[in-house]
């Protein structure tokens, strides 16, 4: 194939801390170049209040890293590559909505709202709307139609309507100015195609089906009277939003001239529909029925696909939704996940870093060591904490792993969402060590995984194998082996650490017409697998007893401590 015939696509993955752009050969799936850019304001901790579970991101962060990452990635390629780009697609975190004006502009980009966190994107892990979520659940159960029935039967504080109701109640200025609501994964394609009317924003089947209670059977979003019963200030929003949603394989338009110029691309480049990171990540990992794809990062998102015949009229309880076409068009997408996974380990690392960062610098300077040398020691020590913990924890015989922890330090997403929960740990003795605690935390995240797998299976969705994607899957053999042993299932690890961006690239290639359907893009562009973990059946039997203790501790935590 000549250089003129080659076609390329760009997949953009917007994560919690950063965005990454992948330039991909649309015919082979080969990654030509990539670029990762961190959100500058988020990196400084602006607009967030961790103690209040408030996590907000400014749209300028998204726009700045978009231009910077795409330009940097293309700059690493041969000059003809940019001319051969035919499609671009986005995945984002979610539910990450924002209030907009009539033009679809986030309020934080308007005068007077630039520094107002409530006018910014409300990140997926923002839990300020726990009260509103509880009210939505009460209204759903009292209604003739339970509008949460296709979202696991429990509405979460992480989702769109709870967040919207909370902000409207607490911020009069935003409530007065807000015209509509848009998800992050819908806004980016609209920006790139030059949309200036919020009614013309193409709405994501993935986002709205999983997080906004959109379903064909009741005509789209829940009715006006239901939404107003949640919060009177939601009056009018339904009519100003949408009825129809689209799957991410369909084009929403082509690059407008402004963004074509900013990115160094042609106005002929097709922009695909948006979806959530885990759903596109599952496509990037070559998801198949009866396989659970785990996108493992700060939290996890767990994705499955099933045929219409297999799902039938099931309403799977306690998960994050079942949505027609949210992963692969023509199949039902199923979502679950843990509210914290890597964040569990990061929390423990911060605890151990405390004396290093707060005592060592002063002691070092008093001992005559230069500030520069002390800082190098501090950084080297902190960077080595997780590595050494892993080495020591792996050496602990399973029989001596008697501590038990829950993985709910950021609440529980599934099964059965409950953001009020907090993590607990038991089994301390005078002989407890940091590696023992770390091992218990690793086991806790694996037990949380088993709870999700058990729920799918009990609800009639068989799982035969697991695929892991993300940095932890590729770089943490100890974590992955424990998970395999706990589940008593093989786990394949995707060959790329950018499966979400690769999945976005597959959707870009499909929307641009390189492939007639997503399955064809998967077959041609997938990266294969780097490694497969096989369970130790003897260890699994031993873990079953610990898992029983995990369940007992969880039951006590939920019923007695945080009820």
């Amino acid at each position: 194939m000549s250089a003129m015939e080659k076609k390329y696509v760009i997949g953009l993955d917007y994560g919690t801390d950063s965005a990454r752009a992948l330039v991909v050969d649309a015919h082979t799936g080969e990654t030509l170049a990539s670029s990762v850019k961190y959100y500058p304001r988020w990196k400084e901790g602006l607009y967030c209040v961790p103690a209040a579970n408030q996590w907000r991101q400014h749209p300028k962060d998204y726009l700045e890293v978009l231009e910077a990452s795409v330009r940097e990635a293309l700059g690493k390629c041969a000059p003809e590559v940019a001319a051969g780009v035919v499609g671009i697609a986005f995945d984002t975190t979610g539910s990450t909505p924002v209030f907009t004006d009539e033009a679809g502009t986030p309020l934080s980009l308007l005068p007077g709202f630039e520094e107002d966190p409530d006018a910014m994107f409300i990140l997926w892990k923002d839990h300020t709307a726990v009260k509103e979520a509880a009210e939505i659940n009460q209204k759903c159960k009292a209604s003739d139609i339970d509008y949460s029935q296709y979202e696991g039967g429990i509405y979460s504080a992480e989702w769109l309507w709870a967040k919207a109701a909370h902000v409207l109640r607490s911020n009069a200025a935003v409530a007065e100015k807000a015209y509509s609501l848009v998800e992050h994964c819908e806004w980016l394609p609209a920006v790139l195609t030059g949309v200036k009317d919020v009614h013309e924003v193409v709405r994501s089947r993935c986002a709205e089906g999983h997080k906004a209670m959109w379903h064909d059977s009741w005509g789209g979003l829940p009715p006006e009277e239901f939404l107003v019963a949640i919060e009177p200030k939601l009056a009018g929003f339904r009519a100003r939003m949408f009825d129809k949603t689209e799957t991410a394989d369909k084009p929403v338009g082509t690059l407008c001239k402004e963004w074509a110029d900013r990115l160094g691309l042609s106005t002929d480049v097709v922009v695909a529909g948006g979806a959530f990171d885990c759903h596109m990540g599952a496509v990037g990992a070559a998801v198949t029925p009866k396989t659970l794809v785990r996108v493992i990062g700060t939290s996890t998102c767990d994705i499955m696909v099933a045929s219409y015949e297999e799902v039938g009229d099931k309403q799977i309880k306690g998960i994050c939704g079942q949505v027609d076409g949210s992963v692969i068009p023509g199949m039902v997408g199923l979502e679950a996940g843990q509210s914290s996974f890597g964040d569990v380990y990061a929390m423990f690392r911060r605890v151990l870093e405390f004396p290093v960062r707060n005592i060592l610098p002063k002691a070092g300077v008093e001992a005559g060591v230069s500030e520069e040398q002390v800082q190098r020691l501090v950084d080297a020590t902190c960077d080595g904490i997780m590595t050494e913990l892993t080495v020591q924890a792996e050496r602990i015989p399973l029989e001596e792993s008697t501590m038990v922890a829950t993985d709910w330090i950021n609440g529980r997403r599934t099964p059965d969402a409950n953001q009020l929960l907090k993590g607990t740990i038991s089994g301390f003795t005078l002989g407890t060590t940091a590696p023992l605690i770390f091992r218990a935390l690793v086991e806790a995240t694996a037990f949380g995984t088993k709870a999700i797998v058990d729920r799918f299976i009990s609800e009639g969705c068989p799982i035969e194998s697991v695929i892991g994607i993300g940095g932890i899957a590729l770089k943490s053999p100890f974590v992955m082996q424990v998970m395999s042993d706990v589940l008593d299932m093989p786990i394949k690890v995707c060959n790329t650490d950018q499966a979400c961006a690769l999945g976005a690239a597959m959707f870009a290639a499909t929307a641009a017409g390189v492939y007639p359907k997503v399955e064809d893009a998967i077959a041609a562009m997938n990266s294969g697998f780097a490694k497969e973990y096989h369970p130790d059946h003897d260890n699994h039997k031993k873990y079953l007893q610990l898992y029983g203790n995990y369940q007992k501790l969880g039951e006590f935590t939920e019923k007695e401590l945080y009820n």
Side-chain angles (χ1 to χ4, degrees):
M1 186 180 294
S2 70
M4 293 297 292
E5 295 174 313
K6 275 191 167 291
K7 294 179 180 179
Y8 306 97
V9 288
I10 298 174
L12 283 133
D13 169 36
Y14 274 74
T16 299
D17 301 319
S18 61
R20 58 222 30 92
L22 240 59
V23 181
V24 179
D25 186 315
H27 302 284
T28 67
E30 176 192 1
T31 296
L32 279 68
S34 65
S35 172
V36 177
K37 297 294 181 185
Y38 288 85
Y39 309 132
R41 295 162 189 79
W42 171 264
K43 195 172 182 180
E44 293 179 24
L46 299 180
Y47 316 119
C48 299
V49 185
N53 282 315
Q54 176 180 302
W55 304 98
R56 310 294 168 87
Q57 292 183 329
H58 202 291
K60 286 185 178 180
D61 272 359
Y62 298 156
L63 298 179
E64 289 168 11
V65 300
L66 167 60
E67 184 171 358
S69 62
V70 170
R71 281 217 168 255
E72 181 173 271
L74 287 172
K76 298 176 182 178
C77 300
E80 64 269 17
V81 169
V85 172
V86 296
I88 187 169
F90 296 91
D91 72 67
T92 73
T93 64
S95 177
T96 302
V98 71
F99 284 103
T100 74
D101 65 3
E102 294 90 333
T105 303
L107 298 188
S108 48
L109 294 178
L110 301 178
F113 292 93
E114 300 94 334
E115 300 299 315
D116 188 337
D118 290 335
M120 300 173 191
F121 283 90
I122 307 170
L123 192 64
W124 64 271
K125 69 177 185 177
D126 187 293
H127 288 171
T128 54
V130 171
K131 178 176 181 289
E132 288 75 13
E135 293 173 15
I136 291 172
N137 284 310
Q138 290 172 358
K139 295 288 191 301
C140 283
K141 299 304 176 279
S143 173
D144 291 340
I145 297 174
D146 182 352
Y147 296 105
S148 70
Q149 63 187 279
Y150 293 105
E151 298 188 346
I154 301 176
Y155 202 78
S156 169
E158 295 182 351
W159 299 349
L160 181 140
W161 292 116
K163 292 174 174 178
H166 177 75
V167 169
L168 291 174
R169 287 176 179 177
S170 59
N171 191 315
V174 168
E176 182 178 356
K177 184 66 176 177
Y179 180 83
S180 190
L181 275 163
V182 174
E183 281 279 359
H184 184 194
C185 68
E186 300 166 337
W187 180 67
L188 286 169
V191 168
L192 261 61
T193 53
V195 171
K196 302 297 183 186
D197 181 343
V198 75
H199 296 283
E200 295 178 6
V201 174
V202 175
R203 299 303 189 136
S204 165
R205 174 74 56 81
C206 174
E208 305 301 345
H210 282 284
K211 311 302 181 187
M213 298 188 283
W214 178 93
H215 199 270
D216 265 335
S217 66
W218 48 73
L221 294 169
E224 173 82 356
E225 56 269 25
F226 176 82
L227 297 175
V228 171
I230 296 168
E231 169 50 55
K233 290 181 180 178
L234 283 170
F237 272 89
R238 189 188 191 282
R240 299 196 296 266
M241 289 176 69
F242 61 92
D243 291 316
K244 185 179 178 183
T245 62
E246 298 288 355
T247 53
D249 59 317
K250 296 181 180 178
V252 303
T254 56
L255 285 179
C256 65
K257 187 175 187 312
E258 176 192 353
W259 276 97
D261 291 344
R262 289 176 70 168
L263 300 179
L265 296 170
S266 161
T267 54
D268 294 328
V269 173
V270 171
V271 181
F276 290 152
D277 45 10
C278 52
H279 298 73
M280 285 194 172
V283 169
V287 65
T288 56
K290 298 182 181 178
T291 297
L292 180 73
V293 176
R294 307 212 80 214
V295 185
I296 306 173
T298 55
S299 65
T300 74
C301 283
D302 300 330
I303 300 295
M304 293 182 65
V305 295
S307 67
Y308 299 145
E309 294 74 21
E310 185 178 358
V311 174
D313 59 359
K314 296 186 185 101
Q315 294 172 0
I316 301 162
K317 297 181 180 66
I319 65 170
C320 300
Q322 54 192 84
V323 179
D324 180 12
S326 66
V327 182
I328 295 177
M331 302 188 80
V332 178
L334 308 171
E335 179 190 350
Q338 290 163 275
S339 289
S340 54
F341 195 98
D343 271 350
V344 175
Y345 313 149
M347 174 275 299
F348 189 48
R349 171 180 163 163
R350 287 194 302 273
V351 171
L352 297 181
E353 284 180 352
F354 180 82
V356 181
R357 294 196 180 278
N358 292 277
I359 298 173
L360 182 59
K362 182 180 178 182
V365 171
E366 289 176 349
V369 183
S370 72
E371 289 188 15
E372 184 179 346
Q373 288 176 312
V374 169
Q375 191 58 50
R376 283 202 299 267
L377 285 171
V378 167
D379 292 342
T381 301
C382 292
D383 289 344
I385 285 175
M386 298 308 294
T387 301
E388 188 60 26
L389 275 177
T390 300
V391 169
Q392 297 294 333
E394 272 188 299
R395 293 175 181 168
I396 298 170
L398 182 47
E399 293 78 5
E400 295 179 17
S401 184
T402 54
M403 299 191 75
V404 179
T406 63
D407 53 312
W408 302 335
I409 66 167
N410 193 30
R412 184 179 62 219
R413 182 177 296 156
T414 58
D416 304 321
N418 187 344
Q419 265 71 54
L420 293 173
L421 294 176
K422 294 178 173 57
T424 47
I425 186 166
S426 67
F428 281 96
T429 72
L430 292 177
T432 296
T433 62
L436 269 170
I437 297 172
F438 178 64
R439 182 169 183 119
L441 294 175
V442 170
E443 290 168 349
T445 54
F447 294 149
T449 304
K450 180 170 171 55
I452 291 168
V453 169
D454 288 353
R455 175 59 61 89
F456 272 123
I457 293 173
S458 69
E459 290 288 310
C461 298
I463 297 174
E464 296 176 353
S465 63
V466 178
I467 295 174
I469 64 177
I472 289 176
L474 276 169
K475 299 173 185 176
S476 301
F478 173 54
V479 172
M480 300 308 292
Q481 187 61 57
V482 169
M483 191 188 305
S484 178
D485 291 350
V486 167
L487 296 178
D488 202 26
M489 288 182 181
I491 302 178
K492 293 180 180 177
V493 177
C494 206
N495 201 28
T496 175
D497 62 351
Q498 302 292 357
C500 294
L502 179 60
M506 292 175 182
F507 277 99
T510 306
V514 179
Y515 299 100
K517 56 184 181 178
V518 173
E519 293 95 320
D520 297 328
I522 293 173
M525 298 173 68
N526 78 86
S527 67
F529 299 101
K531 185 172 184 178
E532 183 170 358
Y533 292 89
H534 298 278
D536 182 314
H537 301 301
D538 289 335
N539 280 351
H540 173 68
K541 293 175 184 176
K542 296 171 185 175
Y543 274 129
L544 285 179
Q545 181 177 349
L546 283 175
Y547 181 61
N549 293 338
Y550 166 87
Q551 291 175 304
K552 292 175 185 175
L553 179 62
E555 183 179 3
F556 173 80
T557 300
E558 187 161 11
K559 290 185 176 180
E560 303 298 332
L561 297 182
Y562 301 110
N563 186 13

